[in-house]
Amino acid sequence: METFADLLRKHPELALFLSVVFGYLIGRFHFKGVGFGNVVGTLIAGIIIGIFAKPALPDLLRWTFFYLFLFAIGYSIGPQFFGGLKRDTLPQVALALVVTVTGLVTAVAVSLLFGFDEGTALGLLTGGLTTSAALGTGISALNGLPIPAELKATLIANAPLADAITYGFGDVGLILFLTVVGPWLMRIDLKSEAKALEGKLAAGGNKGELLSSRFFGIRGYRVSRPGDLALTVRALEERYSKERLAVQRVKREAQLLRIEPDLSIRPGDAIVIAARVGAFSGVMDTIGPEIADDPELLSVPQTGASIVVTRTAAGGKTLAELGGAPFTRGIYLESIQRGHEVLPRESWTVIQRGDVLRIVGTPDDVERAAAHIGFMERDLDKTDLAFIAGGISLGILLGLPKLVVYGVPVGLGLAGAILLVGLAAGWARGRYPVFGAIPQSAQRLLADLGLVVFIAGIGLTSGPHAVEALHQHGAGHFASIFFAGMIVTLVPPFVGLYVARLMGMNPIMILGGIAGAQTVPPALTALREASGSNVAALAYTVPYAIGYIVITMWGAVIVAIMHTLR
């Protein structure tokens, strides 16, 4: 074992990547959907390997990855963050701010009560509110404190240790609150309340809904029974508008005609239509017999595309309203994503700027829809690396200036400034999609890799200090941290629920908003399972964007407050 420890000390890069490997193995263990997750799993693995091998990692390495993470997470959340700052989402914004501010105040109060230092208070905040990204901004602030280097190292080591101790209940406690305690306090049944909310949202009906691609098909027909219908493309599509019928081809003798709304369809023509599967029996009665033996006629090309909503023709509209627009003829919806959450494909779902619609249809129909909805990335594999490097460079320059108040450096800091630049970059990309392309897969890779490598480095460095803390304070100190973390986890949702009720928010929307504000995706999953509905996701995304950004910034704020008060 000592030989292996020497190997890790000589090659700290091996210790780093082993921390990620074992961290992901730890993160895979779940009990009823609850577990540490990959980030905290990596932190725990890093602490254990750090205790065993004591490898030395250069600070530049971990901070470089953390800056990549900050820019990527800001870029991905930017459209939802700024898109949520409008009148109809103000209650969700207010709920997120109430929860996050209460979390900070609670963490400070509990830390002062228990006599915790700045580092432990930081870990209490990040673990109790399950936002380990705030470790980076907080540790950056700890590095800037005018204190001896030895004390600084101890504080920096205490932060991830407290985070690891409190993070588990941060998930479990909030899930219990949202699925058991919260509904009991509001005297509601989750399933009945979710069903009632869905009914209320669907009151406008399903006309024009963008149907899932699983429910549509393509058929060919020979026109022989035009009946009393003045058979044009427009007339046929309007008659079957509820079934989302779209004429794809009209073949007259041996010639394919250009599809236009006023094109007359004559007896003897062969036509190809796309529609909801249930519409085809009625179409046959209107048009004529089905053509099943002409592969060339029926080989209508289909393509899929991801379109980011940037235009007013789509933003603020329900799926029913969007489905009734002329430019969505022949387009079928596969999924709608807001941030990392997949939203319900229901007629009442409201589209917001920054949402990503995955659609399928003919190339011409997809191009037409994209021109009205937003922008479609032409090269899904292209990442503008110069844009990323330029954004991080700008963030570093903006984060350098600082003021010193009562001996504490005050300013955005490098981490905070890079995060804000990332937010602005993501918002700008959504409005002016001519520069700064970062595909979603690249965003996710930068965010995941950047954070886990930074966390692994933090764990490896703080491991030896964890042993010293155990010898110095004993197991009772760790129990105190865990109990304090329970308070930090549970007080914000209680306060948030009370304030949201005063604002008149729907109970399901309150619970979804609290899950987002405390940045706990497993809590939304548990709420979805308990209610039997995904409607709570509508209230999750805006509070999540605001909560993630604000709590990440709280990392530096709590260090400054605790250093001033102690």
Side-chain angles (χ1 to χ4, degrees):
M1 294 298 291
E2 186 60 32
T3 301
F4 186 60
D6 288 337
L7 176 64
L8 294 179
R9 280 191 289 269
K10 292 179 181 178
H11 298 279
E13 65 275 14
L14 177 59
L16 178 69
F17 286 106
L18 285 177
S19 298
V20 176
V21 171
F22 290 118
Y24 270 66
L25 292 176
I26 294 173
R28 285 184 179 180
F29 286 99
H30 291 80
F31 178 73
K32 294 185 177 181
V34 179
F36 282 109
N38 296 328
V39 175
V40 178
T42 299
L43 177 60
I44 294 172
I47 291 174
I48 295 173
I49 294 176
I51 294 172
F52 170 71
K54 301 179 179 65
L57 286 173
D59 285 343
L60 177 62
L61 173 67
R62 64 184 186 185
W63 286 110
T64 297
F65 276 92
F66 186 63
Y67 295 155
L68 285 171
F69 158 76
L70 287 174
F71 185 84
I73 200 68
Y75 183 96
S76 63
I77 290 178
Q80 285 73 43
F81 182 85
F82 291 105
L85 304 179
K86 52 187 179 181
R87 179 174 297 180
D88 57 345
T89 57
L90 284 181
Q92 297 177 28
V93 174
L95 174 60
L97 293 177
V98 167
V99 170
T100 53
V101 171
T102 302
L104 174 65
V105 172
T106 305
V108 171
V110 172
S111 296
L112 292 174
L113 179 65
F114 282 85
F116 294 148
D117 57 38
E118 296 91 331
T120 304
L122 170 62
L124 194 65
L125 173 79
T126 63
L129 299 181
T130 64
T131 309
S132 295
L135 278 175
T137 56
I139 290 174
S140 178
L142 288 172
N143 275 320
L145 292 179
I147 56 177
E150 184 177 347
L151 176 59
K152 189 180 298 184
T154 300
L155 296 180
I156 291 175
N158 287 343
L161 185 60
D163 178 270
I165 292 172
T166 57
Y167 194 99
F169 187 82
D171 272 355
V172 176
L174 188 62
I175 289 173
L176 291 175
F177 179 88
L178 295 180
T179 58
V180 179
V181 179
W184 177 78
L185 290 173
M186 293 186 287
R187 302 293 190 269
I188 64 167
D189 176 75
L190 280 176
K191 291 186 177 180
S192 299
E193 197 69 33
K195 187 176 181 179
L197 179 57
E198 287 184 352
K200 181 179 178 181
L201 292 172
N206 295 329
K207 183 178 180 180
E209 179 183 352
L210 278 168
L211 297 174
S212 167
S213 59
R214 292 177 301 168
F215 303 115
F216 92 99
I218 295 178
R219 300 286 190 276
Y221 296 92
R222 179 73 63 184
V223 179
S224 61
R225 293 189 291 271
D228 61 350
L229 177 66
L231 205 62
T232 64
V233 169
R234 177 186 287 112
L236 183 61
E237 291 180 345
E238 287 180 352
R239 170 168 287 199
Y240 294 96
S241 61
K242 290 184 178 180
E243 285 75 20
R244 299 282 298 146
L245 184 146
V247 177
Q248 304 289 318
R249 281 181 173 176
V250 176
K251 186 177 182 181
R252 185 167 298 160
E253 296 178 352
Q255 182 182 4
L256 288 175
L257 305 182
R258 179 181 177 85
I259 303 299
E260 294 179 346
D262 295 326
L263 175 65
S264 296
I265 302 175
R266 303 173 184 173
D269 288 348
I271 70 170
V272 178
I273 63 172
R276 188 176 182 177
V277 173
F280 291 128
S281 59
V283 170
M284 186 180 298
D285 294 336
T286 301
I287 302 174
E290 183 176 354
I291 300 173
D293 57 352
D294 192 341
E296 183 179 355
L297 175 69
L298 297 174
S299 60
V300 179
Q302 298 287 310
T303 186
S306 294
I307 302 177
V308 180
V309 177
T310 62
R311 299 188 181 277
T312 55
K317 302 291 194 302
T318 64
L319 283 180
E321 293 170 332
L322 187 60
F327 57 80
T328 61
R329 182 188 64 82
I331 295 301
Y332 301 88
L333 182 67
E334 289 188 329
S335 66
I336 172 174
Q337 188 170 340
R338 184 172 299 160
H340 297 303
E341 287 300 320
V342 177
L343 299 186
R345 290 174 294 179
E346 302 290 345
S347 60
W348 40 259
T349 300
V350 178
I351 306 298
Q352 294 182 5
R353 183 182 291 272
D355 289 349
V356 179
L357 305 182
R358 179 69 185 178
I359 64 174
V360 64
T362 66
D364 289 343
D365 289 339
V366 169
E367 289 282 349
R368 183 186 63 249
H372 289 84
I373 295 174
F375 72 91
M376 178 173 59
E377 194 65 62
R378 302 297 174 180
D379 187 354
L380 297 178
D381 297 325
K382 179 183 178 181
T383 299
D384 193 340
L385 294 178
F387 183 75
I388 297 174
I392 295 175
S393 299
L394 178 60
I396 292 173
L397 293 174
L398 293 177
L400 290 176
K402 292 179 181 178
L403 295 175
V404 178
V405 180
Y406 296 106
V408 179
V410 177
L412 284 175
L414 300 186
I418 292 171
L419 180 60
L420 292 180
V421 170
L423 280 173
W427 171 83
R429 170 66 180 174
R431 282 192 171 271
Y432 311 104
V434 294
F435 61 89
I438 308 178
Q440 281 194 322
S441 56
Q443 295 173 34
R444 190 65 178 265
L445 176 63
L446 288 173
D448 289 351
L449 184 63
L451 185 58
V452 297
V453 170
F454 173 76
I455 290 295
I458 292 295
L460 290 170
T461 304
S462 62
H465 294 278
V467 177
E468 295 177 10
L470 179 61
H471 290 159
Q472 182 177 355
H473 300 288
H477 179 65
F478 291 176
S480 298
I481 294 175
F482 180 81
F483 179 72
M486 293 175 62
I487 298 174
V488 173
T489 296
L490 294 176
V491 170
F494 272 105
V495 176
L497 185 147
Y498 177 75
V499 173
R501 292 291 278 180
L502 291 179
M503 292 189 295
M505 289 183 65
N506 178 275
I508 295 295
M509 301 295 272
I510 292 174
L511 298 176
I514 291 173
Q518 290 198 208
T519 66
V520 184
L524 179 63
T525 301
L527 187 58
R528 182 184 295 123
E529 293 175 353
S531 64
S533 169
N534 194 30
V535 68
L538 298 178
Y540 177 87
T541 54
V542 170
Y544 178 85
I546 293 174
Y548 204 100
I549 297 302
V550 172
I551 296 174
T552 299
M553 299 296 287
W554 279 170
V557 173
I558 194 171
V559 169
I561 293 175
M562 290 299 299
H563 186 75
T564 303
L565 296 179
R566 291 185 75 247

